[in-house]
Amino acid sequence: MRFFCFHLMPYGALDLSWTDEHESAWVTLPNRYYDPKKGFELYNRYLDELIYADTLGFDGICVNEHHQTAYGMMPAPNVLAGALVRQTRNVRICVLGRALPLVNNPIYIAEEFAMLDNLSGGRLIAGFVRGIGCEYHASMANPGQSHERFHEAHDLIVQAWTRPGPFEFAGKHFHIQYVNLWPRPYQEPHPPIWIPSQGSRETIEWASHPDRRYTYLQTFSPIDSVAKYMQQYRDTAVAYGYQPTTDQLGWAVPVYVAETDEKALREAKPHAENFYAKFIKSPLEYRLPPGYTSMSSMKAMIESKFKYSLASPDMDALVSRGMIICGSPSTVVEKLEAYQARLGFRNLISMMQFATLPHELTMKSMAMFAAEVMPRLRSVGEPTGRPVRSMAAAK
Amino acid sequence: MAGQTHDFVTISGTRLELRRGGEGPPVLFLHGGAGNADWMPFMNRLAQRFDVIAPSHPGFDRSDTPDWLDSMSDLAYFYLDLLEALDLDGVHVIGHSLGGWLAAEIAVRSSARLATLTLVGAAGIHVPDVKKGDPFLWTPETLVRKLFFDQKRAEALLAQATSAEAADIAIKNRFTTAKLAWHPRFYNPDLRKWLHRIRLPTLVVWGAEDQIFPPAYGEAWRGLVAGATLTVFPACGHLPHVEKLDEFTAAFAAFINGAAQ
């Protein structure tokens, strides 16, 4: 198993009584709730936590992109990736990911990623996402063009990385007369591409296609959904005519480790519950703008009231549904072994800080996870057979 | 009034759901983002004097969603095809909300087959410093409540059972509305530059309590279309043709009679 320390960089100083007056932590939560002095402390604290992960022996550290929300303070994740590159030596730098359909010229994303790849000597993992529904309200990008723009921007970026320039790219949404990237990426043929997703058939079919074989990351979901989507990925790959490796699957989940199960659950409980009740929280219309999904997916989601609609997510339910891994080191090892056996992933994207979890507890949990959990799982889920192209450039 | 038809026609390769009834000069009704679910009471009234033609736009209701449909401009040219295909002349166009925007887009391209224009709570322009509602952030229930001034009407509508097909159509209509109007939100920045090309008698109808496009939008339309008159109904939301049925049909009749002189 490989271990990636993921950070959302939430606005952890959030006044949690915001729910008395507002319906969404996204898009419309007034930014008077944000205090830049607290922001200064939080950004630097969170960077320290990710740098600490490098010294602890994690394989990678991860940032991502969200806009206009207390959920995560990284509208421009490459700014932070740039800071991290210079303060780490060994870890992979993972940007999980940039939201391709939101920009009007994806060349900028190709350039920024190429810069990070050069600056880090080839340590970049490039994540591509469509962005969650809320981003379409925040950016005014048309949700009905989300899939089209994602695919076209992806094609443009990969071509910019791999085709000799200058050349012309003529798409429906992006028509660039001169594509001629300076700098070109450091890794050959290009940085590994990972695809984080909340789970959609379209994305799985696209990511698992033999031309791509991109690592698919299932983000914060109940364990049954995680299992369903990972199985879908394997089935789709087999239907395409090849056996996927464990390298092609990753699972993103909050993790908290403490001395005993009881202590871990007690320490993590308020913060894990805040994550689901105060930070992810937004109404269905915010999360599912029209056209963001296919009509059939939209209908299914409306009918199921969408997966995050836990009425009041309490810690017991979060633990039993696999929406957080929490316990003593041996409990966490057992759980991850069992989940790995069920899900078949190699890449664990552990979110070691969540919502309001304070610095001391975060660092304590990270250290214990690195010392007592990671070594015991290193040999679990290692890929067999031919390595896939997307990871061929891994260290 | 009996005798209206509910049928499909194929225009330029696109199959359209179309309701039509009455006899007289043609009235083309262009619906808003919620589609055109039924033969409505105001259509019945108008059908006593007019040939009322109420299609569902491409992408709405049971009409096809053609691959070529990307923008309001596409829709406007499609309707010029429709006017030719149905061989309509001297048409009185009534456009509501998104359909009002569409009516203006058609008229600036060609008014050759049009007689008058009636814009009801019309989208299509931006009025600085006037806050619009954002139906894309509202739940379907909130949307219904905000459409009406008289909340008893909203309650009655919400109490009605919805069929599975109607639920699917509601999603389809919302998808197409977003595709056409997400950004810029419910307007075309170029449209106002060319509204001087509309030389038709024009009536602008508004609800004083419209929560999507406030009445300042009605006033702006009156100023932008030469010779337009504005009628604002008090105690009325975004659907004057529904909420103020008598007043709406009377105002329309008076407008048409005046335009004929």
Side-chain angles (χ1 to χ4, degrees):
Chain A
M1 202 178 287
R2 300 197 311 169
F3 303 92
F4 296 81
C5 183
F6 178 80
H7 221 305
L8 272 175
M9 303 206 180
Y11 183 61
L14 182 63
D15 174 358
L16 299 177
S17 69
W18 71 264
T19 41
D20 296 346
E21 286 178 50
H22 304 282
E23 59 179 4
S24 173
W26 298 72
V27 189
T28 54
L29 182 64
N31 66 0
R32 66 180 161 78
Y33 281 86
Y34 181 85
D35 175 355
K37 292 186 180 61
K38 298 268 173 53
F40 165 73
E41 290 167 14
L42 288 171
Y43 274 121
N44 286 286
R45 175 198 143 187
Y46 293 155
L47 285 171
D48 288 344
E49 289 168 3
L50 287 172
I51 292 160
Y52 185 49
D54 181 33
T55 68
L56 290 173
F58 278 83
D59 297 276
I61 53 181
C62 318
V63 293
N64 82 342
E65 172 178 342
H66 290 297
H67 297 265
Q68 300 190 175
T69 174
Y71 178 79
M73 306 192 295
M74 293 187 281
N78 289 347
V79 170
L80 298 171
L84 289 167
V85 163
R86 290 286 294 170
Q87 295 198 54
T88 57
R89 282 291 171 265
N90 302 310
V91 277
R92 283 279 189 175
I93 307 290
C94 315
V95 182
L96 303 178
R98 286 300 315 271
L100 309 189
L102 306 187
V103 299
N104 288 322
N105 186 347
I107 289 290
Y108 299 142
I109 293 176
E111 288 173 338
E112 287 176 19
F113 276 161
M115 285 172 69
L116 287 168
D117 205 35
N118 279 254
L119 199 60
S120 67
R123 287 191 283 138
L124 179 73
I125 289 176
F128 293 164
V129 296
R130 290 199 293 130
I132 71 163
C134 294
E135 319 294 7
Y136 290 80
H137 291 288
S139 68
M140 299 293 277
N142 197 318
Q145 299 171 344
S146 170
H147 278 289
E148 267 182 20
R149 287 171 69 97
F150 177 82
H151 291 136
E152 203 175 305
H154 161 272
D155 293 350
L156 171 54
I157 291 168
V158 171
Q159 286 183 33
W161 281 345
T162 54
R163 278 180 67 182
F167 65 89
E168 181 175 354
F169 182 91
K172 176 179 173 187
H173 299 283
F174 313 112
H175 190 150
I176 315 288
Q177 187 97 30
Y178 305 106
V179 181
N180 189 26
L181 218 62
W182 291 73
R184 292 194 288 116
Y186 186 93
Q187 296 176 78
E188 291 285 347
H190 57 71
I193 294 170
W194 285 13
I195 307 295
S197 170
Q198 298 168 293
S200 90
R201 176 168 288 283
E202 294 101 322
T203 302
I204 288 169
E205 284 173 1
W206 178 82
S208 63
H209 190 277
D211 290 350
R212 288 176 283 271
R213 305 189 189 204
Y214 294 152
T215 295
Y216 174 84
L217 305 183
Q218 181 65 35
T219 59
F220 318 129
S221 317
I223 194 68
D224 292 338
S225 305
V226 180
K228 183 181 90 180
Y229 292 122
M230 289 195 182
Q231 190 56 44
Q232 234 175 55
Y233 186 102
R234 275 188 295 273
D235 291 346
T236 311
V238 168
Y240 281 132
Y242 77 96
Q243 274 296 333
T245 75
T246 54
D247 238 343
Q248 282 169 264
L249 291 171
W251 180 29
V253 62
V255 174
Y256 189 78
V257 189
E259 292 78 354
T260 65
D261 286 351
E262 183 277 324
K263 195 173 179 202
L265 290 166
R266 175 162 44 83
E267 287 175 349
K269 178 180 163 74
H271 313 293
E273 290 178 356
N274 284 343
F275 179 63
Y276 288 99
K278 303 286 184 179
F279 286 81
I280 280 187
K281 187 180 171 67
S282 65
L284 186 79
E285 283 67 28
Y286 284 63
R287 280 176 276 144
L288 285 179
Y292 176 73
T293 61
S294 66
M295 276 190 245
S296 56
S297 303
M298 170 79 93
K299 205 180 160 199
M301 284 170 172
I302 289 170
E303 280 162 5
S304 72
K305 301 280 184 194
F306 207 56
K307 65 188 177 192
Y308 293 133
S309 302
L310 296 166
S312 55
D314 67 83
M315 190 64 180
D316 294 342
L318 294 175
V319 170
S320 68
R321 300 177 73 189
M323 296 179 79
I324 183 170
I325 308 286
C326 184
S328 68
S330 41
T331 298
V332 169
V333 167
E334 278 168 32
K335 285 188 180 214
L336 285 174
E337 257 182 326
Y339 284 135
Q340 197 288 327
R342 180 174 173 200
L343 304 173
F345 62 91
R346 184 190 188 197
N347 302 298
L348 182 74
I349 319 301
S350 51
M351 185 166 70
M352 306 302 296
Q353 195 281 337
F354 37 88
T356 45
L357 188 71
H359 183 59
E360 294 68 28
L361 293 183
T362 304
M363 300 290 268
K364 177 166 78 82
S365 169
M366 285 173 67
M368 204 172 281
F369 183 78
E372 300 180 48
V373 176
M374 280 169 21
R376 290 157 69 183
L377 292 170
R378 275 287 172 200
S379 61
V380 174
E382 286 305 279
T384 51
R386 192 173 63 83
V388 295
R389 194 188 68 174
S390 67
M391 284 310 301
K395 62 179 178 172
Chain B
M1 159 152 191
Q4 79 271 11
T5 59
H6 177 202
D7 228 324
F8 287 87
V9 291
T10 299
I11 309 285
S12 307
T14 297
R15 194 165 175 265
L16 281 198
E17 183 177 10
L18 184 108
R19 292 180 166 82
R20 188 166 185 170
E23 279 175 23
V27 164
L28 176 67
F29 177 69
L30 301 173
H31 64 76
N36 197 19
D38 229 327
W39 184 254
M40 296 165 78
F42 86 90
M43 297 173 186
N44 241 3
R45 298 274 186 96
L46 299 186
Q48 291 164 15
R49 241 186 96 178
F50 298 97
D51 171 14
V52 178
I53 302 157
S56 293
H57 313 321
F60 288 86
D61 301 321
R62 296 180 190 85
S63 294
D64 285 351
T65 303
D67 288 340
W68 51 257
L69 180 63
D70 289 316
S71 67
M72 290 297 283
S73 175
D74 293 329
L75 215 46
Y77 283 113
F78 173 83
Y79 268 99
L80 292 177
D81 280 2
L82 177 138
L83 293 171
E84 280 181 32
L86 299 183
D87 195 20
L88 301 174
D89 268 308
V91 180
H92 301 289
V93 180
I94 304 176
H96 169 243
S97 196
L98 182 100
W101 174 7
L102 177 58
E105 294 276 3
I106 295 167
V108 297
R109 283 167 175 75
S110 171
S111 298
R113 290 173 178 271
L114 309 184
T116 67
L117 197 57
T118 300
L119 304 176
V120 186
I125 57 171
H126 172 66
V127 181
D129 305 320
V130 178
K131 196 171 160 45
K132 287 182 292 199
D134 184 359
F136 294 121
L137 280 190
W138 298 339
T139 63
E141 181 186 330
T142 303
L143 174 61
V144 169
R145 292 189 186 285
K146 290 196 185 256
L147 285 176
F148 293 98
F149 172 76
D150 179 0
Q151 286 302 298
K152 286 198 201 80
R153 286 176 178 273
E155 298 289 351
L157 202 59
L158 289 167
Q160 283 176 17
T162 318
S163 70
E165 193 198 10
D168 285 354
I169 285 176
I171 294 174
K172 175 179 177 178
N173 291 350
R174 217 164 148 100
F175 271 44
T176 305
T177 301
K179 185 193 264 185
L180 298 171
W182 188 265
H183 180 72
R185 184 60 55 87
F186 281 112
Y187 77 102
N188 168 6
D190 293 326
L191 179 59
R192 78 158 58 210
K193 293 185 265 184
W194 303 107
L195 288 173
H196 64 268
R197 293 184 53 78
I198 300 180
R199 297 180 192 96
L200 300 169
T202 298
L203 171 67
V204 181
V205 179
W206 230 267
E209 309 295 335
D210 190 324
Q211 293 201 60
I212 298 179
F213 305 111
Y217 273 78
E219 286 156 28
W221 273 112
R222 176 178 53 185
L224 287 164
V225 179
T229 56
L230 171 67
T231 300
V232 180
F233 298 127
C236 177
H238 187 56
L239 308 169
H241 52 302
V242 177
E243 196 161 8
K244 296 289 168 189
L245 176 63
D246 293 340
E247 294 89 335
F248 175 80
T249 46
F252 182 74
F255 165 62
I256 298 300
N257 292 340
Q261 282 162 13

